[in-house]
Amino acid sequence: MTGLLLPLPILIAFATAILAFFFRKGAEARWISVAGSALMLAAGAVLLAEVLASGPVAAQMGNWPAPFGITLVADTLAAVMVVITGLTAVAVSVYATADVTREMEDLGYHSLFQTLIAGVMGAFLTGDLFNLYVWFEVMLISSFGLLVLGGRRVQMDAGIKYVTLNLISTILFLSGIGLLYGVTGTLNLADLHFAVQSADPGLVTVIATMFLIGFGVKAAVFPLFFWLPAAYHTPAFSVSAVFAGLLTKVGVYALIRMFTLVFTQDTGFTHGLLLWIACLTMVTGVLGAAAQSDFRRILSFHIVSQIGYMVLGLALLTPLAMAGAVFYLVHHIIVKANLFLVAGVANRVAGGNELDRIGGLYKGAPFLAFLFLIPAFSLAGFPPLSGFWAKYVLVKASLDLQLWVVAATALAVGLMTIYSMTKIWGRAFWAPHPGGQVPTLASLPASARLSLLLPIVGLAAITVLIGLFPEPFVAVATRAAEELLDPSAYLTAVLGERP
Amino acid sequence: MEFLVALMVGALVAAAVYLMLARNVLRFLFGLVLISNAANLLIFASGGLTPEAPPLVPYGAPAPDPGVANALPQALVLTAIVIGFGLFAFALVLIYRGYQTMGTLDSDEMRLAEPEDAAK
């Protein structure tokens, strides 16, 4: 039964993609997409329950034994990521029923979206390095398609930058895989854990740095993040939301996986480098956000600064810090996707995303203003929302290691986040509309209003829920962290008992 | 043999970097094609180049005889070539559409998504 459980989310996503492709000319495709996402969420929940009950589960594809065949494996982190991916997919596909234009649907928006989710799920569940590369490509090619769907001029410009930079990172990643195979003779992640210990440590560190750069581009860390704010503000809002929520987090997930399971020999160098990267990412991201004057571009720069927090957790490599990183990952996917969805509604009712050209949202649409404040405050780290606990754990972890400067940076970046959020609040919500109109939610068609607001309310409710009752979530994050730092259960699940 | 392939990888990467430093996006794409081929050769070389027998399983046997070439790097490179082909076809069409809509191939003039007066 567990053998079927692991590939199930990926299979559901692909089946939905194919079905949606056949029905793309009708309105059925959007509901197929919603139904497929809901099924995925259910499958993910069953998987998570299984992993929490009996530890990491693994399945060998084609029944080849572990180091030779392709392994699918889920530990607590992977299972949690699958659930959260399903949740994001449900929210965004409901939102997309009202957000995506007829023309984009005809071109196969829903199929591309589901293929993207399949790629993300695959990347979380695979236990094989080359397979990870293949899932990355599935994810990338569908994200390329989604990014330029609609074909506005600004999308072409953003697309060229996004595509070229991502291709470079892919090539670096592929070269790293080739060299690692040459050094160790295996590509199974669990097998690599043992194989790199007998390899030349200098060579392994060089390869680790190649992976760091390759995944670093995908995760948009300093100084490799420039493609992100250049691209994420141009496509449809539901596309932006799923990119912002999920795509960069796959890079972070890959970093966490590789730098806890495989590259743990020279932590003084690799994780020291990660610590610098984390701090600089936080600072440059938030400074970039402060300089922008477009709703979605501010949010895009915030993604960069928040990635810094997750990398910080990985760099510190203590149980508490890893738990913080996992907690942050989950919290940030929900909050960030939600903020982009709010930006989409604001764009609809106020007629733009340039902060100079919109305003009066608080007066005209107070409910939307309230819905904006929840994820915005959570992102900045206000209690009692989910972001507060995520930041609290990470700051506590760096204080435990007596890294005062790091803790101070994390806190200062939180303050700066509030500053740039007040910029959005002040100009888009509080100030009167420059055109003199009063944007109201009633200006939306009644059917669209429900599909647009329901996901936002749902995600905001989850944010509040995590904030008010953090214990079970922290417990799961702590368990994920323990499994990452001591992967013996993971190794046994994949390879069987070792002498 | 490995030495010669390594030299070739180096030459390809050097040419690729030269092309990718150009402002012309099409040249950049050609650089990407070169560097991805360099990566494929790198996998091939690091997997070990040996003048062994082809990795064929004799009829009825469960595994190939010892002393055959390692087939895995070839499988990896084959997958990478297929994926790379798809990506480059997409990128080429994208750049063509970009040229049609923006009327330029100069990356310095592509400022639509990040206008210079946006940061204020």
Side-chain angles (χ1 to χ4, degrees):
Chain A
M1 184 55 205
T2 54
L4 188 64
L5 214 51
L6 280 163
L8 201 56
I10 307 170
L11 291 179
I12 294 173
F14 271 130
T16 317
I18 295 168
L19 259 182
F21 184 78
F22 283 124
F23 288 100
R24 70 187 186 282
K25 300 280 183 196
E28 296 93 343
R30 54 184 84 150
W31 300 112
I32 291 173
S33 178
V34 172
S37 307
L39 270 177
M40 258 183 287
L41 179 60
V46 175
L47 178 66
L48 180 63
E50 172 75 21
V51 169
L52 286 179
S54 57
V57 290
Q60 317 295 340
M61 296 298 102
N63 268 337
W64 287 86
F68 306 112
I70 288 170
T71 309
L72 290 185
V73 52
D75 59 354
T76 309
L77 175 62
V80 166
M81 295 306 288
V82 167
V83 172
I84 209 77
T85 307
L87 191 69
T88 317
V90 171
V92 173
S93 57
V94 171
Y95 189 87
T97 56
D99 176 57
V100 172
T101 60
R102 197 62 248 180
E103 187 199 359
M104 287 171 75
E105 286 189 320
D106 285 351
L107 291 168
Y109 165 82
H110 296 292
S111 296
L112 280 173
F113 175 76
Q114 291 294 334
T115 324
L116 177 81
I117 299 294
V120 173
M121 293 277 191
F124 289 148
L125 287 174
T126 185
D128 181 279
L129 203 48
F130 196 77
N131 205 227
L132 181 65
Y133 163 78
V134 176
W135 288 122
F136 262 100
E137 296 311 305
V138 172
M139 191 177 92
L140 271 186
I141 194 81
S142 28
S143 74
F144 293 168
L146 285 173
L147 186 70
V148 296
L149 210 58
R152 293 182 300 127
R153 288 174 71 206
V154 64
Q155 280 179 296
M156 289 299 149
D157 183 17
I160 289 176
K161 285 161 191 165
Y162 178 82
V163 168
T164 46
L165 283 169
N166 269 295
L167 286 183
I168 292 178
S169 99
T170 300
I171 290 165
L172 260 171
F173 176 30
L174 185 62
S175 311
I177 292 176
L179 289 175
L180 197 59
Y181 179 73
V183 171
T184 59
T186 180
L187 286 173
N188 187 296
L189 287 176
D191 205 27
L192 273 173
H193 174 79
F194 296 106
V196 291
Q197 281 163 6
S198 52
D200 177 8
L203 214 49
V204 171
T205 308
V206 171
I207 297 171
T209 316
M210 287 182 78
F211 276 99
L212 186 60
I213 299 172
F215 292 141
V217 174
K218 309 247 187 238
V221 297
F222 177 87
L224 310 164
F225 62 83
F226 293 100
W227 58 270
L228 192 152
Y232 274 22
H233 65 108
T234 60
F237 284 88
S238 41
V239 176
S240 270
V242 75
F243 278 17
L246 288 177
L247 280 199
T248 42
K249 302 325 165 289
V250 181
V252 178
Y253 172 85
L255 274 178
I256 291 180
R257 185 60 79 205
M258 288 305 286
F259 283 84
T260 53
L261 190 61
V262 180
F263 300 124
T264 48
Q265 284 71 43
D266 194 2
T267 50
F269 175 74
T270 52
H271 290 70
L273 194 62
L274 279 170
L275 188 62
W276 276 102
I277 289 174
C279 291
L280 289 170
T281 307
M282 286 193 277
V283 173
T284 47
V286 83
L287 289 180
Q292 296 302 320
S293 62
D294 178 291
F295 203 142
R296 271 201 286 182
R297 278 174 66 84
I298 293 179
L299 295 180
S300 301
F301 270 102
H302 275 158
I303 303 176
V304 177
S305 75
Q306 308 289 316
I307 293 289
Y309 284 98
M310 298 164 212
V311 178
L312 174 65
L314 171 63
L316 296 178
L317 210 63
T318 62
L320 188 65
M322 286 303 297
V326 174
F327 195 96
Y328 213 111
L329 211 53
V330 171
H331 136 77
H332 184 254
I333 290 176
I334 297 170
V335 166
K336 201 63 194 192
N338 201 3
L339 278 170
F340 273 86
L341 296 182
V342 173
V345 179
N347 178 49
R348 276 243 181 145
V349 297
N353 263 311
E354 281 290 326
L355 291 180
D356 292 337
R357 300 211 189 119
I358 59 173
L361 279 169
Y362 176 73
K363 200 170 168 200
F367 184 54
L368 185 70
F370 171 69
L371 285 177
F372 169 75
L373 277 185
I374 293 176
F377 277 167
S378 179
L379 195 75
F382 275 24
L385 296 161
S386 60
F388 168 72
W389 300 105
K391 280 206 175 59
Y392 170 78
V393 170
L394 281 172
V395 169
K396 172 97 168 49
S398 35
L399 287 179
D400 284 350
L401 291 170
Q402 305 190 327
L403 294 165
W404 315 118
V405 180
V406 174
T409 310
L411 288 172
V413 169
L415 274 178
M416 289 288 291
T417 311
I418 300 172
Y419 165 73
S420 45
M421 280 299 176
T422 49
K423 195 164 156 179
I424 297 180
W425 176 256
R427 286 162 75 176
F429 287 88
W430 198 250
H433 197 289
Q437 65 192 77
V438 178
T440 56
L441 287 176
S443 65
L444 296 169
S447 58
R449 209 180 309 156
L450 186 67
S451 328
L452 290 177
L453 290 180
L454 198 65
I456 299 177
V457 172
L459 291 178
I462 295 172
T463 309
V464 175
L465 197 73
I466 297 179
L468 291 179
F469 306 101
E471 291 93 354
F473 299 96
V474 171
V476 172
T478 311
R479 185 173 149 156
E482 279 163 6
E483 282 180 6
L484 287 171
L485 292 172
D486 174 23
S488 52
Y490 179 97
L491 299 173
T492 314
V494 176
L495 298 172
E497 291 296 334
R498 281 229 160 182
Chain B
M1 189 63 183
E2 264 106 345
F3 178 70
L4 287 177
V5 176
L7 270 186
M8 197 153 77
V9 171
L12 278 176
V13 172
V17 170
Y18 173 75
L19 283 172
M20 285 159 79
L21 289 174
R23 273 192 289 176
N24 186 316
V25 191
L26 200 58
R27 279 178 153 244
F28 186 92
L29 183 72
F30 290 151
L32 270 180
V33 174
L34 279 190
I35 206 171
S36 92
N37 280 315
N40 290 343
L41 274 176
L42 178 82
I43 298 178
F44 212 37
S46 69
L49 298 167
T50 45
E52 303 281 1
L56 297 174
V57 185
Y59 184 74
D65 298 327
V68 298
N70 185 356
L72 190 69
Q74 302 189 23
L76 300 187
V77 172
L78 194 58
T79 315
I81 288 174
V82 173
I83 291 176
F85 182 75
L87 291 178
F88 289 123
F90 181 86
L92 190 62
V93 174
L94 178 69
I95 286 174
Y96 178 64
R97 275 300 299 273
Y99 177 67
Q100 276 187 324
T101 52
M102 287 184 286
T104 179
L105 280 175
D106 188 333
S107 56
D108 279 3
E109 288 171 25
M110 296 183 175
R111 308 276 324 179
L112 290 171
E114 290 177 290
E116 273 167 286
D117 58 345
K120 63 188 173 193

